[in-house]
């Protein structure tokens, strides 16, 4: 007989090796409200970890996937979510890096540690468990660890190696990293995506210097995290660009020195930026996922040595809006995934820096709601009212 443990937001004793029945927010179709329902979560298999999620939050990647913007990435039913923090409930065969009771951050961009990319200090890509929005099953056997709790036992698909909109989730061991149990666990949720992506883009990808100048296009959580990273490095000028006028006020908390609303500008944005930055910024960051904005960001950098960092998710199949000859100007364009951080080897140090106050955390959490209000949290993000809404599970 199959061992099953029923969990309703509280301890169910020794659940290791058993199927757990718990709550999850399930997406049944593109743009449809998430349904809080009981699901079955299988025990972790070889080199897998089962985690009790304590807090999770929503970023624009979840929003885009929920809307089904890219048809090739659609898979339903599915459990979204990739920004979270939790405690290891049990581990599968061969797992040695973490153990039951450890505080962990899920990693949508894994680090196997053995592939060519993982061994290369100049990239945080992973050939085996890197970010892949089309992947919807586990690496070991191509199956899911989630099924519906009814007699149908219908498979429920995974998302971005993580699926954190569930009380329990199963991940490859390369997609979890242990953090200090003394770290403020709710705030550590931010490190699993938005904060690390933005701060890391400034620190690791661009490596901004003290006294340099920066322009950031899109002042959502990621864009403001770029600003926070730049502020911590002593950048002299941080220009924020956003169509939401409220971001001019919010941005000041994170070091924004100048604000441009494209809808109010009497000239092209890149010309405005060149005026106030003495010919162009040293670094620009595109955090929107819009090709026109990407081109503007490129044109806003200083000819000869400007760098544009692309962070926005581009669902359109259109190509880069640049002529190859434009790159001979000395300007360059690079992309940044998870801020260039290698999750398992570098994130614990970044978590320690955050705990020590090197970068701000509190200001990014603008809302907190219970898990069953997850659809309201999505709406807050859609309406541009939240940076991060943290859900307690």
């Amino acid at each position: 007989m199959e061992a099953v443990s029923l969990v309703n937001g509280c301890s169910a004793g020794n659940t290791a090796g058993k199927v757990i029945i718990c709550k999850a927010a399930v997406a049944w179709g593109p743009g449809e409200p998430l349904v809080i329902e009981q699901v079955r979560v299988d025990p972790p298999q070889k080199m897998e970890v089962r985690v009790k999620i304590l807090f999770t939050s929503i970023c624009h990647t979840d929003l885009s996937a929920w809307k089904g913007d890219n048809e090739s990435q659609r898979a339903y039913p599915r459990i979204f979510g990739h920004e979270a923090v939790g405690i290891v409930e049990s581990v599968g065969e061969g797992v040695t890096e973490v153990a039951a009771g450890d505080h962990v951050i899920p990693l949508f961009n894994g680090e196997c540690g053995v592939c060519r990319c993982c061994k290369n200090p100049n990239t945080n890509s992973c050939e085996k468990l890197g970010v892949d929005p089309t992947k919807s099953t586990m690496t070991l056997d191509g199956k899911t660890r989630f099924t519906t709790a009814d007699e149908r036992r219908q498979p429920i698909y995974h998302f971005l190696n993580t699926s954190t909109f569930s009380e329990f989730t199963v991940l490859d061991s390369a997609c979890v990293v242990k953090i200090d149990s003394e770290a403020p666990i709710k705030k550590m949720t931010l490190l699993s995506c938005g904060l690390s992506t933005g701060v890391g883009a400034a620190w690791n990808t661009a490596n901004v210097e003290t006294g340099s100048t920066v322009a950031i296009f899109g002042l959502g959580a990621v864009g403001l995290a770029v600003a926070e990273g730049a502020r911590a490095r002593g950048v002299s000028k941080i220009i924020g660009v956003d169509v939401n006028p409220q971001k001019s006020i919010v941005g000041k908390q994170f070091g924004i020195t100048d604000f441009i609303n494209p809808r109010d500008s009497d000239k092209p944005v890149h010309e405005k930026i060149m005026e106030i930055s003495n010919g162009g910024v040293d670094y620009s960051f595109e955090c929107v996922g819009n090709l026109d904005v990407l081109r503007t960001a490129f044109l806003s950098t200083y000819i000869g040595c400007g760098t544009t960092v692309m962070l926005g998710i581009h669902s359109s199949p259109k190509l880069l809006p640049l002529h190859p000859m434009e790159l001979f100007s000395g300007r360059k364009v690079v992309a940044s995934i998870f801020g260039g951080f290698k999750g398992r080897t570098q994130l614990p140090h970044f978590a320690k820096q955050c705990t020590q106050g090197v970068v701000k955390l509190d200001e990014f959490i603008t809302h907190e709601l219970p898990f069953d209000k997850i659809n309201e949290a999505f709406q807050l993000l859609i309406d541009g009212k939240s940076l991060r809404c943290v859900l307690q599970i």
Side-chain angles (χ1 to χ4, degrees):
M1 181 179 293
E2 181 182 49
V4 178
S5 184
L6 180 64
V7 177
N8 286 309
C10 58
S11 174
N14 184 15
T15 53
K18 301 176 183 178
V19 172
I20 290 177
I21 297 178
C22 66
K23 289 192 302 183
V26 181
W28 286 91
E32 295 181 12
L34 302 182
V35 179
I36 303 292
E37 59 184 277
Q38 298 288 307
V39 300
R40 297 165 57 89
V41 185
D42 291 339
Q45 302 303 303
K46 183 177 180 180
M47 298 306 294
E48 294 176 357
V49 179
R50 189 161 61 184
V51 174
K52 169 71 176 84
I53 299 297
L54 299 178
F55 298 94
T56 189
S57 53
I58 303 164
C59 95
H60 276 90
T61 301
D62 296 308
L63 183 59
S64 177
W66 168 71
K67 288 179 178 178
D69 289 344
N70 192 324
E71 291 187 12
S72 66
Q73 299 174 9
R74 293 181 180 181
Y76 302 98
R78 199 171 199 179
I79 295 175
F80 291 120
H82 65 286
E83 194 171 82
V85 69
I87 297 177
V88 175
E89 175 269 339
S90 61
V91 300
E93 176 188 346
V95 176
T96 58
E97 299 88 353
V98 296
D102 285 345
H103 290 196
V104 293
I105 292 174
L107 301 171
F108 68 88
N109 188 48
E111 182 186 354
C112 73
V114 297
C115 72
R116 182 174 177 178
C117 289
C118 283
K119 291 181 178 180
N120 187 329
N122 299 315
T123 179
N124 67 337
S125 294
C126 176
E127 296 173 23
K128 185 178 180 182
L129 288 159
V131 57
D132 181 1
T134 65
K135 182 182 177 184
S136 57
T137 56
M138 297 301 292
T139 303
L140 178 68
D141 54 11
K143 298 179 180 179
T144 72
R145 299 292 177 263
F146 300 111
T147 53
T148 57
D150 58 23
E151 64 278 359
R152 294 177 301 162
R153 305 282 173 86
Q154 181 178 353
I156 302 174
Y157 294 107
H158 296 252
F159 177 66
L160 285 183
N161 294 321
T162 49
S163 291
T164 62
F165 293 165
S166 175
E167 288 185 298
F168 288 84
T169 189
V170 177
L171 312 92
D172 286 280
S173 62
C175 293
V176 294
V177 58
K178 180 180 177 180
I179 57 172
D180 188 340
S181 61
E182 297 301 315
I185 194 162
K186 179 172 64 178
K187 298 176 186 179
M188 292 296 101
T189 302
L190 301 170
L191 274 63
S192 55
C193 182
L195 188 74
S196 300
T197 296
V199 173
W203 289 2
N204 303 324
T205 309
N207 192 21
V208 299
E209 308 93 353
T210 299
S212 59
T213 54
V214 164
I216 304 166
F217 293 77
L219 299 181
V222 170
L224 291 173
V226 173
E228 178 62 12
R231 182 203 59 78
R233 280 283 180 93
V235 166
S236 64
K237 186 178 289 292
I238 305 175
I239 304 168
V241 182
D242 202 291
V243 296
N244 183 345
Q246 292 300 315
K247 294 301 176 71
S248 65
I249 301 172
V250 174
K252 292 179 181 178
Q253 301 177 67
F254 303 95
I256 298 292
T257 59
D258 301 83
F259 178 80
I260 299 173
N261 185 333
R263 294 173 178 170
D264 298 335
S265 180
D266 58 356
K267 59 182 62 179
V269 171
H270 73 276
E271 292 183 8
K272 188 79 171 178
I273 289 175
M274 294 181 78
E275 283 183 1
I276 61 179
S277 62
N278 193 27
V281 293
D282 298 303
Y283 305 96
S284 68
F285 298 83
E286 190 276 320
C287 308
V288 179
N290 180 288
L291 289 177
D292 292 332
V293 174
L294 176 61
R295 179 160 182 79
T296 299
F298 176 78
L299 295 175
S300 299
T301 58
Y302 195 77
I303 293 176
C305 58
T307 297
T308 298
V309 181
M310 182 175 66
L311 294 91
I313 302 299
H314 292 256
S315 58
S316 167
K318 294 180 181 179
L319 301 180
L320 289 175
L322 302 173
H323 190 284
M325 295 302 295
E326 290 183 291
L327 297 175
F328 283 100
S329 68
R331 292 164 165 160
K332 62 181 178 180
V333 179
V334 297
S336 181
I337 299 174
F338 196 46
F341 283 113
K342 286 181 179 288
R344 292 204 297 167
T345 54
Q346 296 178 334
L347 208 63
H349 177 64
F350 180 50
K352 185 176 181 179
Q353 289 179 296
C354 291
T355 302
Q356 294 172 339
V358 176
V359 297
K360 299 176 182 178
L361 295 178
D362 291 344
E363 289 81 355
F364 285 94
I365 301 176
T366 55
H367 297 78
E368 296 183 48
L369 290 172
F371 184 47
D372 60 4
K373 300 291 186 182
I374 189 169
N375 288 302
E376 293 182 22
F378 264 84
Q379 194 59 50
L380 285 169
L381 190 62
I382 292 170
D383 294 340
K385 295 180 179 179
S386 70
L387 293 179
R388 280 298 183 266
C389 179
V390 173
L391 304 168
Q392 183 169 2
I393 299 185

Short mmCIF file of all heavy atoms in Angstrom, two decimals, residues 59 193-195 197-199 201 216 218-227 287 311-312 364 387-388:
data_model
loop_
_atom_site.label_atom_id
_atom_site.label_comp_id
_atom_site.label_asym_id
_atom_site.label_seq_id
_atom_site.Cartn_x
_atom_site.Cartn_y
_atom_site.Cartn_z
N CYS A 59 7.09 37.28 -9.68
CA CYS A 59 7.80 38.24 -10.52
C CYS A 59 7.20 38.20 -11.92
O CYS A 59 6.32 37.38 -12.22
CB CYS A 59 9.30 37.96 -10.53
SG CYS A 59 9.92 36.97 -11.87
N CYS A 193 15.44 35.28 -7.14
CA CYS A 193 15.28 35.81 -8.49
C CYS A 193 15.57 37.30 -8.54
O CYS A 193 16.67 37.72 -8.86
CB CYS A 193 13.89 35.53 -9.07
SG CYS A 193 13.69 36.12 -10.77
N GLY A 194 14.57 38.14 -8.25
CA GLY A 194 14.62 39.56 -8.56
C GLY A 194 15.82 40.32 -8.04
O GLY A 194 16.51 41.02 -8.79
N LEU A 195 16.09 40.22 -6.75
CA LEU A 195 17.18 40.98 -6.16
C LEU A 195 18.53 40.53 -6.72
O LEU A 195 19.37 41.35 -7.10
CB LEU A 195 17.17 40.86 -4.64
CG LEU A 195 18.16 41.78 -3.92
CD1 LEU A 195 17.67 43.22 -3.94
CD2 LEU A 195 18.40 41.33 -2.50
N THR A 197 19.12 38.99 -9.51
CA THR A 197 19.19 39.30 -10.94
C THR A 197 19.62 40.75 -11.16
O THR A 197 20.48 41.03 -12.00
CB THR A 197 17.83 39.04 -11.61
OG1 THR A 197 17.53 37.64 -11.52
CG2 THR A 197 17.85 39.46 -13.07
N GLY A 198 19.02 41.67 -10.42
CA GLY A 198 19.33 43.08 -10.61
C GLY A 198 20.68 43.49 -10.04
O GLY A 198 21.51 44.09 -10.73
N VAL A 199 20.90 43.17 -8.77
CA VAL A 199 22.17 43.54 -8.15
C VAL A 199 23.34 42.86 -8.87
O VAL A 199 24.38 43.47 -9.15
CB VAL A 199 22.18 43.17 -6.65
CG1 VAL A 199 23.57 43.40 -6.04
CG2 VAL A 199 21.14 43.98 -5.88
N ALA A 201 23.49 41.92 -11.96
CA ALA A 201 23.74 42.52 -13.27
C ALA A 201 24.67 43.72 -13.14
O ALA A 201 25.54 43.95 -14.00
CB ALA A 201 22.42 42.95 -13.91
N ILE A 216 18.82 53.05 -16.26
CA ILE A 216 18.04 51.82 -16.06
C ILE A 216 16.67 52.01 -16.68
O ILE A 216 15.93 52.93 -16.31
CB ILE A 216 17.90 51.49 -14.56
CG1 ILE A 216 19.28 51.38 -13.90
CG2 ILE A 216 17.12 50.19 -14.37
CD1 ILE A 216 19.24 51.40 -12.39
N GLY A 218 13.07 50.66 -17.02
CA GLY A 218 12.12 49.78 -16.35
C GLY A 218 12.45 49.69 -14.88
O GLY A 218 13.42 49.03 -14.50
N LEU A 219 11.62 50.34 -14.04
CA LEU A 219 11.91 50.40 -12.60
C LEU A 219 10.96 49.51 -11.81
O LEU A 219 10.37 49.92 -10.82
CB LEU A 219 11.84 51.85 -12.12
CG LEU A 219 12.85 52.81 -12.77
CD1 LEU A 219 12.70 54.21 -12.20
CD2 LEU A 219 14.28 52.30 -12.62
N GLY A 220 10.84 48.26 -12.28
CA GLY A 220 10.20 47.24 -11.46
C GLY A 220 11.20 46.76 -10.44
O GLY A 220 12.24 47.40 -10.20
N ALA A 221 10.94 45.61 -9.83
CA ALA A 221 11.83 45.11 -8.79
C ALA A 221 13.23 44.85 -9.32
O ALA A 221 14.22 45.16 -8.65
CB ALA A 221 11.24 43.84 -8.17
N VAL A 222 13.34 44.29 -10.52
CA VAL A 222 14.66 44.00 -11.08
C VAL A 222 15.41 45.30 -11.38
O VAL A 222 16.59 45.44 -11.04
CB VAL A 222 14.54 43.12 -12.34
CG1 VAL A 222 15.89 43.01 -13.05
CG2 VAL A 222 14.05 41.73 -11.97
N GLY A 223 14.75 46.24 -12.03
CA GLY A 223 15.40 47.51 -12.34
C GLY A 223 15.84 48.25 -11.10
O GLY A 223 16.95 48.83 -11.06
N LEU A 224 15.01 48.25 -10.07
CA LEU A 224 15.39 48.92 -8.82
C LEU A 224 16.50 48.16 -8.09
O LEU A 224 17.29 48.77 -7.37
CB LEU A 224 14.16 49.08 -7.93
CG LEU A 224 13.13 50.09 -8.45
CD1 LEU A 224 11.86 50.06 -7.61
CD2 LEU A 224 13.71 51.51 -8.48
N ALA A 225 16.55 46.84 -8.30
CA ALA A 225 17.66 46.07 -7.73
C ALA A 225 18.97 46.43 -8.44
O ALA A 225 20.04 46.47 -7.81
CB ALA A 225 17.39 44.58 -7.84
N VAL A 226 18.90 46.70 -9.75
CA VAL A 226 20.08 47.20 -10.46
C VAL A 226 20.52 48.52 -9.82
O VAL A 226 21.71 48.73 -9.56
CB VAL A 226 19.78 47.41 -11.95
CG1 VAL A 226 20.97 48.10 -12.63
CG2 VAL A 226 19.49 46.09 -12.65
N ALA A 227 19.55 49.41 -9.58
CA ALA A 227 19.86 50.70 -8.97
C ALA A 227 20.50 50.52 -7.59
O ALA A 227 21.48 51.20 -7.25
CB ALA A 227 18.59 51.55 -8.85
N CYS A 287 15.46 46.45 -18.68
CA CYS A 287 14.74 45.55 -17.77
C CYS A 287 13.26 45.42 -18.14
O CYS A 287 12.43 45.14 -17.27
CB CYS A 287 14.87 46.05 -16.33
SG CYS A 287 16.56 46.37 -15.78
N LEU A 311 18.32 42.49 -19.49
CA LEU A 311 17.74 41.63 -18.46
C LEU A 311 16.29 41.26 -18.77
O LEU A 311 15.77 40.28 -18.24
CB LEU A 311 17.79 42.31 -17.09
CG LEU A 311 19.15 42.57 -16.48
CD1 LEU A 311 19.67 43.93 -16.86
CD2 LEU A 311 19.08 42.45 -14.96
N GLY A 312 15.60 42.07 -19.57
CA GLY A 312 14.19 41.83 -19.85
C GLY A 312 13.97 40.55 -20.63
O GLY A 312 14.80 40.15 -21.46
N PHE A 364 12.00 46.35 -0.84
CA PHE A 364 11.49 45.61 -1.99
C PHE A 364 10.18 44.88 -1.69
O PHE A 364 9.41 44.58 -2.59
CB PHE A 364 12.54 44.59 -2.48
CG PHE A 364 13.68 45.21 -3.21
CD1 PHE A 364 14.85 45.55 -2.55
CD2 PHE A 364 13.59 45.48 -4.57
CE1 PHE A 364 15.92 46.14 -3.22
CE2 PHE A 364 14.65 46.06 -5.26
CZ PHE A 364 15.81 46.39 -4.58
N LEU A 387 6.17 45.91 -5.81
CA LEU A 387 7.48 45.44 -6.26
C LEU A 387 7.53 43.94 -6.04
O LEU A 387 7.65 43.17 -6.97
CB LEU A 387 8.60 46.16 -5.50
CG LEU A 387 8.74 47.66 -5.76
CD1 LEU A 387 9.87 48.24 -4.92
CD2 LEU A 387 8.98 47.92 -7.25
N ARG A 388 7.41 43.57 -4.78
CA ARG A 388 7.28 42.15 -4.45
C ARG A 388 6.19 41.98 -3.41
O ARG A 388 6.21 42.63 -2.36
CB ARG A 388 8.59 41.58 -3.91
CG ARG A 388 9.61 41.23 -5.01
CD ARG A 388 9.06 40.14 -5.93
NE ARG A 388 10.02 39.74 -6.94
CZ ARG A 388 10.07 40.24 -8.16
NH1 ARG A 388 9.21 41.19 -8.52
NH2 ARG A 388 10.94 39.79 -9.04
#
